Amino acid sequence: MKPPVKIKSPFILSLLLISFLFSCSQPRQGNILLTDGWKFQPGDNPSFSSPLFNDSSWEDISPLDLWDAQGHADLDGYAWYRIHVNIPSSLKTHAYFKDSLIIFLGKIDDRDQTWLNGKPLGQNGKTVSAGTKFPDDIPNGGETWAVSRKYMLAADDLRINWDGENVIAIRVFDRGGLGGMYGPAPYISMRDVGDYVTFNLRKEPFMISRQVNYKKIIVLNNASTKDDFDGVLSVEVINQENDRVIFSETTTTHLKAGKALRHSISFINVDTANCLLQCSFKPEKSKNIITANVGAPYILTPPPPASPRINGPRVYGTRPGHPFLYRIPVTGERPVSIDVKGLPEGLKIDDNTGIITGKILRKGDYPVRITARNAAGTDTATLLIRAGNTLALTPPMGWNSWNVWGLSVDADKVKAAADAFLSTGLADHGWSYINIDDGWEAPHRTPDGAITGNEKFPDFKDLSGYVHSKGLKLGIYSSPGPYTCGGYLGSYQHEFQDAKTWAGWGIDYIKYDWCSYGKIAKDNSLEELQKPYLLMRKALDTVNRDIVYSLCQYGMGHVWEWGATVGGNLWRTTGDITDTWNSMSGIGFRQNTASPYASPGHWNDPDMLVVGWVGWGPHIRPTRLTPDEQYTHISLWSLLSAPLLIGCDLTRMDDFTMSLLTNDEVLAVDQDPLGKQADKVYVKGNIQYWTKPLADGSWAAGIFNLGEGKEKINVMFSDLKLKGNSYEVRDLWRQKNLGTFHKGMELKIPSHGVVLLKITRGV
Ligand code: GAL
């Protein structure tokens, strides 16, 4: 179905920015590198394309960084780049292909026309192929700013002046914002194997079983339509901590034109450390080696014991008189019998499933003693059920469709996610919400104004029944504006009716996304920012159901300062996340400003998780975060008491992703009943310490390394802002006591990685 209106979402904007920050590649061996010697002039004049034009008075500029970073922050519109370069015919001597020359110019923000020695070489961002005027419309349906400029010319092309001076002139037009040339480094070379052959190490993720057996398919693409290539494929896996070679293999390989070679490797890795897979392809008769590398995941989380373990929060909020649903999360070998004592009047438990249902009649605190038993042992825990005014007494944990399916979500995918919560065991670790994001709404309301699902969501009652029967909760999405960010119907002027409809469907969670409300709001005043959220709060208060209220407006007006007063249970503090280090770390490590405002029932939301297979649409792929970045992501979000919403395809979980999402000691940091958010207590260079006080009087501490190299550091308790001298320290990912330490301890932290600790005052 085609949405009626397309609104550019902040998600798209942040994605564009991130992909730009991450675009880089290695210049090729034996080329003419064009990193120095560029001249630059703002403005526009046709004579600038001429090789005879004298540009000696122009300023110098680097082609690796945008002009904004080089003294032209406010420049929008036209500017020119020029370079003079000798192209020696000796380039051809050792070339693999002697017939064609490549001129590679990196990326240009956002449109350009390029001349070689006064003759047009190419253009990007024009809707017509000739002429010198840049149209101001959106270019060819795409964003040209993110695309590398690469031109191939026959070696006998008369535009090339072999063994003499050549002038490359680039006329750039920037529509606004950042502008100009930027990395990767420009070069000139002969056509080579590397123009066709590339590794794709992310297409197939590592598969790990029993913590130590690794398998991976290495994909090597040959994009040439004509040429096969022979060469040597080398693969090595190296422990980054001690340089130990874990696996090494060299094979001669034949790459067929237009085909992808899939090469399987398997090895045993007992190191449980940060390891790197390095691949190279050395083509026969070419100097250029094609290389790529990717981090190998390693599993720190020990498998749960055979005996029962009661997981999930220790406090749970509900409103009296509303339907109650809670599935007690328990791991351990099945069958497990669950027994509860002290259930308040109106609630009952199904002993086989551990699902509590019913309705609490009166306000109050009800401590419920849970006992779980199986053949291997027993576990007990107390869950405090608080029947009062506040929901989400610990941050919601669940799944949301957006980061994986985007607008292509449908009811079957949602059911599959609910099934997977049970079949993978995620539900036994406390994951409970199954949330549908944008893309469920029909294009028109019914004649009486009711919203309905589109053809992908034919029956919400059926769907919620399905999800609830498993003891899970169902969430939905809307906008206070007339349209959602994906262009579907929003709740504008139908707030009370929609809240009633959702409650009737059995909805347990609503994400309410600003989107087109920007067109309704009179201005950016606090009053206008709060108005639509207060209105939906009122509407939710009229329905007879516990519906967790998630505000999504990207942090406007410091929402963390007032999200609770408009009745939100959580509020997004940022624009949309994507699966890159810059995005995840940029968002996560900035959350300290909002820290004082988190409390039970009121959470800062730094957006959903980007581990596993994600994609924001029908085509999904493994996350681009490295394994250590994923440890950082889950550790930081847990320290931040962030809502944990898995954003991946739950039917495609690998052991590593599962291990990230099922470490009960790490999740307990997020779910700690005290409900404090971690503070950034120490920063030195790339090292940051974040600490969070826990209900039992201990502390969770994340020691993060944001730098590009591994670090060995002496962590002093005083730098963690802990007053005592002697502490017991536990490694939460490994679930292992490290011992008692005085004053501090030495830790090794991988690049972009973390050590997550629980620190308890020594006796
Ligand atoms: C964005 C929002 C995303 C997602 C999307 C749906 O504004 O931040 O999380 O909900 O809209 O269109």
Side-chain angles (χ1 to χ4, degrees):
M1 180 207 111
K2 217 170 176 287
V5 186
K6 185 73 205 144
I7 292 152
K8 199 162 188 179
S9 108
F11 152 71
I12 310 267
L13 294 175
S14 55
L15 197 68
L16 293 177
L17 179 71
I18 296 308
S19 54
F20 136 67
L21 289 167
F22 262 73
S23 39
C24 63
S25 76
Q26 289 291 72
R28 218 181 280 166
Q29 298 279 309
N31 300 317
I32 308 169
L33 256 187
L34 302 181
T35 42
D36 296 319
W38 287 93
K39 294 287 191 179
F40 179 70
Q41 176 67 47
D44 193 32
N45 187 324
S47 69
F48 294 166
S49 67
S50 163
L52 303 174
F53 179 80
N54 181 355
D55 55 28
S56 57
S57 63
W58 285 16
E59 68 183 83
D60 296 331
I61 194 160
S62 163
L64 303 180
D65 213 346
L66 295 154
W67 67 46
D68 303 71
Q70 301 182 73
H72 294 281
D74 298 327
L75 177 58
D76 292 326
Y78 292 96
W80 283 72
Y81 289 75
R82 285 169 59 97
I83 191 165
H84 300 247
V85 54
N86 187 289
I87 307 181
S89 50
S90 61
L91 270 189
K92 289 183 250 181
T93 321
H94 301 293
Y96 189 96
F97 294 109
K98 302 188 193 312
D99 59 355
S100 309
L101 184 80
I102 301 277
I103 300 184
F104 179 82
L105 297 173
K107 299 185 181 186
I108 299 176
D109 189 350
D110 51 23
R111 314 162 192 197
D112 66 285
Q113 281 174 299
T114 299
W115 287 262
L116 175 63
N117 298 321
K119 306 272 171 11
L121 184 60
Q123 51 204 7
N124 299 278
K126 282 181 67 68
T127 47
V128 289
S129 57
T132 55
K133 191 176 180 325
F134 275 115
D136 284 347
D137 59 348
I138 298 289
N140 301 336
E143 294 279 351
T144 48
W145 65 270
V147 180
S148 285
R149 275 51 166 170
K150 187 171 177 181
Y151 303 103
M152 194 184 295
L153 292 85
D156 58 2
D157 191 306
L158 293 175
R159 288 172 292 184
I160 309 170
N161 183 16
W162 288 103
D163 294 314
E165 185 183 81
N166 292 266
V167 176
I168 300 170
I170 310 177
R171 178 187 190 225
V172 180
F173 180 78
D174 176 39
R175 264 195 304 148
L178 306 173
M181 296 179 79
Y182 66 100
Y187 62 79
I188 294 178
S189 76
M190 297 305 290
R191 175 165 86 99
D192 196 85
V193 183
D195 291 309
Y196 305 98
V197 174
T198 47
F199 282 102
N200 186 346
L201 297 184
R202 298 197 186 273
K203 188 156 174 64
E204 301 285 349
F206 273 98
M207 301 307 289
I208 314 178
S209 55
R210 295 198 194 90
Q211 318 254 128
V212 295
N213 298 324
Y214 283 65
K215 276 200 180 128
K216 165 104 176 157
I217 297 171
I218 290 159
V219 179
L220 190 55
N221 290 314
N222 178 4
S224 168
T225 49
K226 294 203 293 279
D227 298 295
D228 291 5
F229 299 111
D230 288 305
V232 176
L233 171 66
S234 304
V235 183
E236 275 199 332
V237 178
I238 296 173
N239 181 329
Q240 299 291 287
E241 276 177 25
N242 55 19
D243 298 328
R244 191 170 90 83
V245 178
I246 285 160
F247 174 81
S248 170
E249 187 196 80
T250 302
T251 38
T252 51
T253 309
H254 180 75
L255 300 181
K256 284 217 171 80
K259 292 266 175 330
L261 176 102
R262 292 164 65 84
H263 180 75
S264 300
I265 58 166
S266 59
F267 57 93
I268 291 178
N269 180 9
V270 291
D271 281 12
T272 321
N274 168 31
C275 297
L276 196 67
L277 168 72
Q278 300 179 326
C279 298
S280 69
F281 178 70
K282 162 90 185 69
E284 255 178 31
K285 293 183 248 149
S286 167
K287 273 207 206 129
N288 287 307
I289 301 177
I290 295 123
T291 61
N293 59 48
V294 71
Y298 56 105
I299 294 179
L300 296 177
T301 306
S307 58
R309 196 147 79 179
I310 301 166
N311 301 308
R314 291 295 179 254
V315 56
Y316 181 78
T318 183
R319 289 184 181 164
H322 289 181
F324 184 97
L325 176 69
Y326 183 81
R327 179 183 186 278
I328 300 174
V330 182
T331 52
E333 261 168 30
R334 274 22 190 189
V336 176
S337 74
I338 298 176
D339 176 52
V340 290
K341 295 226 157 33
L343 267 191
E345 197 191 332
L347 296 189
K348 64 174 191 328
I349 182 162
D350 178 325
D351 302 338
N352 295 320
T353 57
I355 300 174
I356 306 176
T357 51
K359 208 176 263 182
I360 299 182
L361 302 174
R362 275 180 304 277
K363 268 195 173 182
D365 278 357
Y366 303 97
V368 175
R369 192 75 186 149
I370 306 169
T371 306
R373 280 192 194 86
N374 69 5
T378 303
D379 190 25
T380 54
T382 301
L383 172 70
L384 180 70
I385 299 179
R386 177 161 284 170
N389 289 325
T390 315
L391 305 180
L393 293 179
T394 61
M397 283 173 63
W399 173 86
N400 172 293
S401 57
W402 183 249
N403 289 356
V404 50
W405 302 121
L407 296 174
S408 72
V409 62
D410 60 39
D412 287 342
K413 290 183 171 123
V414 174
K415 284 185 177 173
D419 292 345
F421 259 12
L422 269 76
S423 63
T424 58
L426 279 164
D428 299 333
H429 297 270
W431 299 92
S432 63
Y433 284 93
I434 297 287
N435 292 353
I436 305 160
D437 207 281
D438 204 356
W440 61 267
E441 311 86 337
H444 305 289
R445 290 174 177 270
T446 61
D448 62 357
I451 192 141
T452 58
N454 56 38
E455 72 285 358
K456 297 185 296 158
F457 288 91
D459 189 342
F460 268 104
K461 276 201 177 153
D462 166 72
L463 187 55
S464 76
Y466 188 86
V467 172
H468 291 156
S469 70
K470 295 171 189 292
L472 305 172
K473 316 265 179 62
L474 186 65
I476 212 167
Y477 165 99
S478 188
S479 169
Y483 294 102
T484 66
C485 291
Y488 289 79
L489 274 192
S491 293
Y492 183 55
Q493 293 180 330
H494 292 273
E495 294 81 3
F496 283 78
Q497 192 176 13
D498 285 359
K500 206 164 153 205
T501 303
W502 299 329
W505 287 346
I507 296 296
D508 307 294
Y509 182 115
I510 171 75
K511 170 172 168 186
Y512 208 42
D513 193 355
W514 179 266
C515 305
S516 65
Y517 193 82
K519 294 209 168 81
I520 307 291
K522 288 200 221 85
D523 50 42
N524 283 339
S525 64
L526 267 190
E527 199 190 337
E528 287 295 293
L529 290 177
Q530 294 176 350
K531 198 153 114 193
Y533 289 100
L534 280 167
L535 186 59
M536 181 49 77
R537 175 72 269 165
K538 265 199 193 151
L540 292 172
D541 286 340
T542 61
V543 303
N544 180 31
R545 218 180 152 74
D546 284 353
I547 300 182
V548 169
Y549 188 25
S550 152
L551 319 186
C552 178
Q553 45 85 289
Y554 340 115
M556 288 185 297
H558 293 181
V559 63
W560 47 92
E561 292 169 8
W562 49 265
T565 54
V566 298
N569 295 113
L570 55 147
W571 42 82
R572 274 269 297 277
T573 53
T574 79
D576 290 18
I577 197 168
T578 190
D579 57 329
T580 62
W581 168 249
N582 266 22
S583 168
M584 184 277 290
S585 68
I587 289 174
F589 289 109
R590 271 203 318 263
Q591 294 300 310
N592 50 312
T593 329
S595 165
Y597 302 95
S599 68
H602 312 294
W603 309 107
N604 293 306
D605 174 8
D607 207 1
M608 301 172 289
L609 303 178
V610 280
V611 300
W613 284 69
V614 295
W616 292 270
H619 307 294
I620 62 171
R621 54 175 154 76
T623 178
R624 288 175 289 172
L625 294 183
T626 68
D628 283 310
E629 291 168 357
Q630 297 181 57
Y631 277 118
T632 291
H633 186 20
I634 305 298
S635 305
L636 185 54
W637 262 237
S638 298
L639 284 162
L640 294 173
S641 306
L644 298 178
L645 290 163
I646 304 172
C648 70
D649 181 358
L650 295 178
T651 65
R652 225 171 158 159
M653 296 291 277
D654 55 86
D655 283 10
F656 174 65
T657 312
M658 271 302 285
S659 78
L660 291 168
L661 300 173
T662 55
N663 190 313
D664 300 311
E665 297 197 17
V666 174
L667 295 175
V669 171
D670 181 74
Q671 294 294 302
D672 187 74
L674 193 61
K676 293 272 189 220
Q677 177 172 326
D679 270 321
K680 178 162 36 178
V681 291
Y682 176 88
V683 180
K684 189 167 181 195
N686 290 316
I687 301 297
Q688 297 193 7
Y689 303 169
W690 289 67
T691 58
K692 164 175 174 161
L694 302 175
D696 64 3
S698 66
W699 295 79
I703 314 297
F704 294 95
N705 173 8
L706 283 68
E708 301 304 320
K710 58 187 173 191
E711 296 270 358
K712 196 197 273 182
I713 41 179
N714 246 324
V715 180
M716 304 308 292
F717 294 134
S718 55
D719 289 334
L720 289 167
K721 305 287 175 283
L722 302 180
K723 300 223 164 61
N725 245 338
S726 169
Y727 286 93
E728 280 165 23
V729 179
R730 184 166 171 84
D731 181 327
L732 291 180
W733 279 108
R734 292 185 167 81
Q735 301 186 357
K736 230 162 95 181
N737 287 335
L738 300 181
T740 302
F741 294 85
H742 302 281
K743 293 214 154 81
M745 60 190 306
E746 190 181 85
L747 290 174
K748 286 188 199 149
I749 326 277
S751 158
H752 293 186
V754 60
V755 173
L756 184 66
L757 302 172
K758 180 161 175 164
I759 303 182
T760 313
R761 192 80 181 247
V763 273

